[in-house]
Each structure stands twice: as structure tokens, then as C-alpha cells.
């Protein structure tokens, strides 16, 4: 267990983090981050595209925790993946977040200006210089992961992808496990759609918990980190309490085979392998 977060240690990536996409109001975003950290979260996920890095930085500064105990990640957008742009954008994000290093920096999508050789050369330099502690990618399929691994001297620590009970991503999970890349599950509550899934409702009722907690426990027990977005203290604390929920093997399997395939984040620049 990671002593700081009370969550299972996953090579330093705390199993439960706070997502911040669409947490657009600066006051609310700052408060969400502060409340999460004071609840026990030690993993905060943002992105340059979310437009809230300054508020996230203020939330970290306002919380009664050391920056060093927080696993902080941001992501570069598709139009800032040229070699020089990577350094410029990262420096700007560090300023907004009020920190001099990132625990992980992700390539948000393998699209736009992304070029495995030049983009990853810049990421590798940031990594060698200690500006970023881990190189992350997001929305990469095995094909893009292979190409990236071919040119990178440093390891890819994590791939952040959409995973929830309506999109269990078994093939990608298996691939990432085989090459030692951690998975960080985004939209782990299927953007709220977990509340309409009968299997989850039945398991939740048996344990006296919510469908959100069941979904998060399933991800954790499958060895995946998850970053649910929650704006208010109630949801933030409810999701944190999922760390206490233990599902049986039979329950995990019932969730695994729900069988629907619903991808909720599917922009037209997504990898065409999908
Ligand atoms: P999500 O976490 O699956 O769902 C968020 C929604 O669920 C919000 O409407 C939230 O409401 C609600 N919610 C949270 N906890 C709840 C609870 N206990 N009970 C009832 N409702 C609850 O969706 P997401 O925001 O798409 O994904 C999470 C994070 O993943 C994002 O914030 C972002 O950091 C990351 N992400 C990354 C990518 C990528 O391309 N890398 C793409 C999408 C998302 P409230 O806000 O009102 O609490």
C-alpha cells in the first residue's frame, strides 16, 4: 500500500485520483482540489486543454499537504507537440501549477503535431533533466505504443485511456500489462452512466454502496488507477470511500462481462485503429 494515500501502490501512481475536466469555474476547481487532497487523495489529473491549471495549482497550494506528496499530471494538447513547443508549453504549465516538476506529463492524443521521434525526443529530455518524473501517453492503442517504444530510450510509465464497465478495454489492458505500462482509467464512472447499469445497481445494493463506488472498486481490484471527476465534497468523499469496498471474484467477473461497448470520448482525430 502507498502509505501516503492509503491506496495500493502502483509504481508510484496512486490508485485513486481526482479528474478535473469540465471543472471550469476557477473557485470551484480550486476547492475541489483542496477538498480532495484534505480527504486523502494524492493524485490530481489536469490538462492544458481543460483551461484550469492555475486553479488546480491554487488548490494544491491551499491544501494542507506538501507538494511532494501529490502525484500531479498534466497533458500537452495536439497542437503543442512539436519539439520546441513541448518545452514552451511545459514551462508555462509549471508556472500555472506553481511547481517546478511534474510527476507525469502526458501526450493527450497521438494526433495533430504528434510525431513519435521529435515529440518523444523532447519528452525524453524533460525526463532526463528531472522536469518530469514520468513520461505518459493518453489514448494510445498498441500500434502507437509500439511506435513510441521503438524510439524512446526512457520507459513509458502510463497510458491514460477511457475504461469503465461499459468499455472494459480487455485487449489494451492485456497489451499494456505485457509490456509493463500502467493504465490510468479516465471517465471511470462512464460520465455518470454507471448509475443506469443493472448489474452495478444489484452489486451496489448488496453492499449498501453506490454504483460509482462499485465501478471504482472494480477498476482498483483489476490493478488500474482511476481518476473520477467530482466537483463537490460529497462526490469527492464518496469516491474516496470506494477504497474500502472489496468485491468478490464473482462480482468482478459479472462486471467484466456486462458486454456493452460504449465509447463516450471519441473525437474525429482519435486513432483510426478504433
Ligand atoms: P467521470 O469521472 O466518469 O464522470 C464524471 C461525472 O460523474 C460528473 O458529472 C460528476 O459530477 C459525476 N460524479 C462523480 N462522482 C459521483 C458520485 N459519487 N455520484 C454521482 N455522480 C458522480 O467522467 P470524466 O470527467 O470524463 O473523466 C474523469 C477524468 O478523466 C476527467 O475529469 C479528466 O481528468 C480525465 N479525462 C481524460 C481524457 C483524456 O483524453 N486523457 C478524456 C476524458 C477524461 P460532479 O462533477 O457534479 O461531481
Amino acid at each position: 500500500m502507498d502509505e501516503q494515500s492509503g491506496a495500493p501502490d502502483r509504481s508510484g501512481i496512486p490508485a485513486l485520483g481526482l479528474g478535473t475536466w469540465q471543472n471550469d469555474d476557477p473557485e470551484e476547481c480550486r476547492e475541489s482540489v483542496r477538498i480532495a487532497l484534505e480527504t486523502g487523495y494524492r493524485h490530481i489529473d489536469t490538462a492544458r486543454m481543460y483551461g484550469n491549471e492555475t486553479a488546480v495549482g491554487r488548490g494544491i497550494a491551499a491544501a494542507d499537504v506538501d507538494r511532494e506528496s501529490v502525484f500531479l499530471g498534466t497533458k500537452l494538447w495536439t497542437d503543442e507537440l512539436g519539439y520546441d513547443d513541448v518545452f514552451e508549453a511545459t514551462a508555462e504549465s509549471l508556472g500555472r501549477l506553481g511547481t517546478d516538476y511534474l510527476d507525469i506529463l502526458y501526450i493527450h492524443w497521438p494526433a495533430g503535431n504528434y510525431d513519435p521521434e521529435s515529440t518523444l525526443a523532447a519528452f525524453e529530455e524533460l525526463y532526463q533533466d528531472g522536469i518530469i518524473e514520468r513520461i505518459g501517453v493518453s489514448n494510445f492503442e498498441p500500434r502507437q505504443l509500439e511506435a513510441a517504444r521503438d524510439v524512446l530510450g526512457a520507459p513509458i510509465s502510463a497510458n491514460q485511456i477511457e475504461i469503465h464497465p461499459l468499455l472494459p478495454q480487455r485487449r489494451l489492458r492485456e497489451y499494456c500489462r505485457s509490456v509493463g505500462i500502467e493504465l490510468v482509467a479516465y471517465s471511470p464512472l462512464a460520465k455518470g452512466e454507471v448509475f443506469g447499469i443493472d448489474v452495478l445497481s444489484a452489486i451496489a445494493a448488496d453492499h449498501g454502496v453506490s454504483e460509482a463506488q462499485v465501478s471504482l472498486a472494480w477498476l482498483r481490484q483489476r490493478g488500474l488507477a482511476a481518476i473520477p471527476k467530482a466537483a463537490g465534497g460529497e462526490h469527492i468523499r464518496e469516491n474516496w470511500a470506494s477504497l474500502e469496498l472489496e468485491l468478490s471474484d464473482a462480482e468482478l467477473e459479472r462486471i467484466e462481462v456486462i458486454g456493452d461497448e460504449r465509447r463516450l470520448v471519441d473525437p474525429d482525430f482519435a486513432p483510426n485503429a478504433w
Side-chain angles (χ1 to χ4, degrees):
M1 296 284 273
D2 177 338
E3 287 178 15
Q4 230 117 42
S5 66
D9 187 309
R10 11 187 12 69
S11 313
I13 303 184
L16 189 65
L18 180 75
T20 62
W21 184 31
Q22 295 167 327
N23 200 334
D24 296 326
D25 178 79
E27 254 326 281
E28 185 169 62
C29 182
R30 187 185 69 94
E31 268 306 278
S32 303
V33 170
R34 185 190 64 76
I35 292 168
L37 292 173
E38 293 186 352
T39 299
Y41 289 70
R42 290 295 180 268
H43 178 174
I44 305 291
D45 183 77
T46 182
R48 289 173 58 76
M49 191 273 275
Y50 304 166
N52 61 13
E53 288 179 319
T54 301
V56 167
R58 289 190 179 142
I60 295 171
D64 194 16
V65 299
D66 296 335
R67 159 69 185 97
E68 292 66 38
S69 69
V70 181
F71 183 92
L72 175 61
T74 192
K75 317 181 191 81
L76 302 191
W77 192 240
T78 56
D79 61 356
E80 45 198 16
L81 295 172
Y83 178 84
D84 291 332
D85 302 330
V86 168
F87 296 100
E88 204 175 304
T90 304
E92 189 179 52
S93 288
L94 291 173
R96 289 177 182 163
L97 289 162
T99 183
D100 54 7
Y101 74 99
L102 294 164
D103 296 273
I104 192 162
L105 179 66
Y106 296 97
I107 294 166
H108 207 146
W109 289 87
N113 294 347
Y114 175 64
D115 169 70
E117 297 214 353
S118 56
T119 306
L120 291 167
F123 270 64
E124 194 159 344
E125 253 181 80
L126 289 169
Y127 174 76
Q128 299 300 354
D129 291 347
I131 306 291
I132 64 174
E133 297 216 326
R134 292 170 191 76
I135 296 173
V137 297
S138 180
N139 298 298
F140 275 44
E141 289 285 305
R143 197 161 47 91
Q144 286 89 29
L145 290 169
E146 292 285 355
R149 281 160 44 82
D150 280 351
V151 298
L152 254 184
I156 297 173
S157 289
N159 186 17
Q160 184 180 126
I161 58 164
E162 180 178 343
I163 313 185
H164 45 70
L166 296 178
L167 191 66
Q169 298 266 31
R170 274 186 289 276
R171 188 179 64 95
L172 194 47
R173 276 160 55 191
E174 191 45 50
Y175 173 81
C176 287
R177 187 171 298 120
S178 74
V179 295
I181 297 175
E182 299 282 344
L183 282 174
V184 177
Y186 77 66
S187 304
L189 309 179
K191 291 189 148 296
E193 292 197 22
V194 289
F195 292 94
I197 304 173
D198 291 345
V199 171
L200 298 187
S201 299
I203 295 172
D206 286 346
H207 288 270
V209 298
S210 72
E211 289 86 342
Q213 290 171 315
V214 172
S215 187
L216 295 174
W218 169 70
L219 289 162
R220 189 192 77 242
Q221 289 182 249
R222 288 306 196 209
L224 311 170
I227 47 169
K229 181 256 182 184
E234 196 180 324
H235 288 169
I236 289 171
R237 285 187 278 272
E238 180 179 319
N239 296 341
W240 183 250
S242 72
L243 293 173
E244 285 162 24
L245 176 62
E246 286 293 326
L247 302 175
S248 68
D249 288 344
E251 288 170 330
L252 294 174
E253 199 45 37
R254 279 168 71 196
I255 297 169
E256 200 75 50
V257 300
I258 285 173
D260 283 349
E261 284 284 322
R262 296 243 307 118
R263 193 182 287 279
L264 303 169
V265 180
D266 195 11
D268 53 14
F269 52 77
N272 54 19
W274 287 357

